[in-house]
Each structure stands twice: as structure tokens, then as C-alpha cells.
Amino acid sequence: MVASSVSDKALTLGHGPALLEVFLEPTCPFSVRAFNKLSGLVSLAGEDQLSVRIYLQSQPWHMFSGVIVRCILAAKTLPEGNAAALKIMQAVGEHREEFEFEDHCRGPNMTTTPQQIIERIEKYSGIRVSEAFDKPELQQLIKWHCKYSRQNGIHVSPTFMINGLIQADMGSGEEISQWAERIRNA
């Protein structure tokens, strides 16, 4: 069953009143850097003080982006739900070079198939997504992520929104403490 509410559609961390929404492309090096800081941010701010919602911002220059995004969202539909999706995000980030192309157009992945990408994801994450990947209703969740990004004017990854407002000057290179301060002052 595909999730229905906004928070059910996103990958989530924490459950507090302050809201950080993050738009990430799973193989973008800056998105991976941001993703790797989110658990620490929630720990610093407090799980009961901060909610983080992660939306997937598929980008065509990351050639396998659509396949990888579908795998992550397919994992969200499994019994392990959010935890499985986050585990795949982590695994892809840890092995991002194996999911990318050199200069977005050449290299060893030129002969790689979508099936091989799914198999890599399963190998690195330990999450079986092949069957869930094929769910027809998953398409609506993928489209929802895309539409939510577009309606908020999201073009690059990562993009951050605090309490519904885009933070154009917030970046993955900032320290977790700087993010926490921004959220406290929003």
C-alpha cells in the first residue's frame, strides 16, 4: 500500500514540531553529504523537537536516478517502510561511484542495466526491492515526490526548507550545529 499523507510519503527522521524538509538526489555527492548529517542533526536538536522529511529529487544528469529513486520508494512500501528506504539511501550514498557515470555520460556503467542497479542496491543494503519495484501503484508515489518538488520551485539538490520556507543559502557544507541554529531561529 502506498502512503497517503505528506509525512507518510516522505522519508522521515524525528517527530518534533520544527520541520526541515530536504530535497535530495540519492547519487548527488552534495545530497549524500547532507543525508549523512541528518541523523546527527535530529540527535542534536532532539527527536521530539525536530521532524525531518526527505523528498527525492530525481535529476536526469544522474543517469540511474529514476531507477534508484524508484528502489528507495519501493522500499518505503515494504513492511520495514521508512527504515528500509533510509537503509537504501545510506547504501547508495556509501557506494555512489558505483551508481554514477564519469562526467554524466561515460564509464563502466555504460553497459549496466536497470536490473543490475537493482541487484547492486539489494546487495549493498540487504533490502529486497525487486518485487516492490514492480508495484504499479508505486508510480503515484514517485510522481507525488516530483510534483511536490516542482510546486515548491525545487531545482537543485540538496535544497532545504525550514517550516515551509526555502533556505537558498543553506548547504551541505555547513556544520550540523549551524543547521540546528538556523532551525531554532526560524
Side-chain angles (χ1 to χ4, degrees):
M1 171 86 104
V2 175
S4 58
S5 76
V6 172
S7 62
D8 286 345
K9 291 177 182 171
L11 283 64
T12 60
L13 298 164
H15 53 269
L19 176 61
L20 175 65
E21 294 174 286
V22 187
F23 298 82
L24 303 175
E25 195 293 321
T27 62
C28 165
F30 305 105
S31 287
V32 170
R33 182 168 52 186
F35 176 78
N36 288 335
K37 293 178 179 183
L38 294 175
S39 290
L41 174 64
V42 171
S43 293
L44 179 64
E47 260 189 39
D48 59 340
Q49 297 300 310
L50 176 63
S51 293
V52 175
R53 293 184 190 154
I54 301 167
Y55 302 102
L56 301 176
Q57 172 70 1
S58 185
Q59 296 171 323
W61 51 92
H62 294 288
M63 302 289 274
F64 285 121
S65 184
V67 174
I68 295 167
V69 163
R70 188 175 183 101
C71 285
I72 294 165
L73 294 176
K76 185 137 173 72
T77 71
L78 297 173
E80 303 87 9
N82 191 67
L86 291 171
K87 191 170 183 181
I88 289 179
M89 281 281 292
Q90 186 68 46
V92 168
E94 288 171 357
H95 301 274
R96 68 169 291 282
E97 294 294 329
E98 294 180 53
F99 296 98
E100 274 289 8
F101 290 74
E102 295 168 14
D103 297 322
H104 304 291
C105 64
R106 70 180 72 81
N109 276 329
M110 286 299 290
T111 59
T112 304
T113 67
Q115 182 60 43
Q116 290 169 317
I117 292 298
I118 295 167
E119 290 166 3
R120 281 182 198 169
I121 287 171
E122 289 179 337
K123 179 177 100 176
Y124 292 135
S125 70
I127 306 293
R128 303 274 309 145
V129 294
S130 296
E131 192 173 313
F133 186 90
D134 197 34
K135 291 180 180 178
E137 66 270 18
L138 186 59
Q139 194 65 21
Q140 293 307 312
L141 183 56
I142 294 165
K143 287 180 178 180
W144 189 92
H145 274 250
C146 183
K147 290 175 183 178
Y148 191 70
S149 294
R150 287 178 181 168
Q151 91 170 5
N152 285 296
I154 307 303
H155 299 287
V156 299
S157 65
T159 296
F160 303 87
M161 288 182 8
I162 298 175
N163 298 325
L165 299 176
I166 291 178
Q167 306 296 305
D169 62 341
M170 189 172 176
S172 63
E174 291 178 80
E175 298 295 322
I176 293 171
S177 59
Q178 292 173 288
W179 286 359
E181 185 67 23
R182 283 174 172 268
I183 293 165
R184 271 192 299 275
N185 293 329

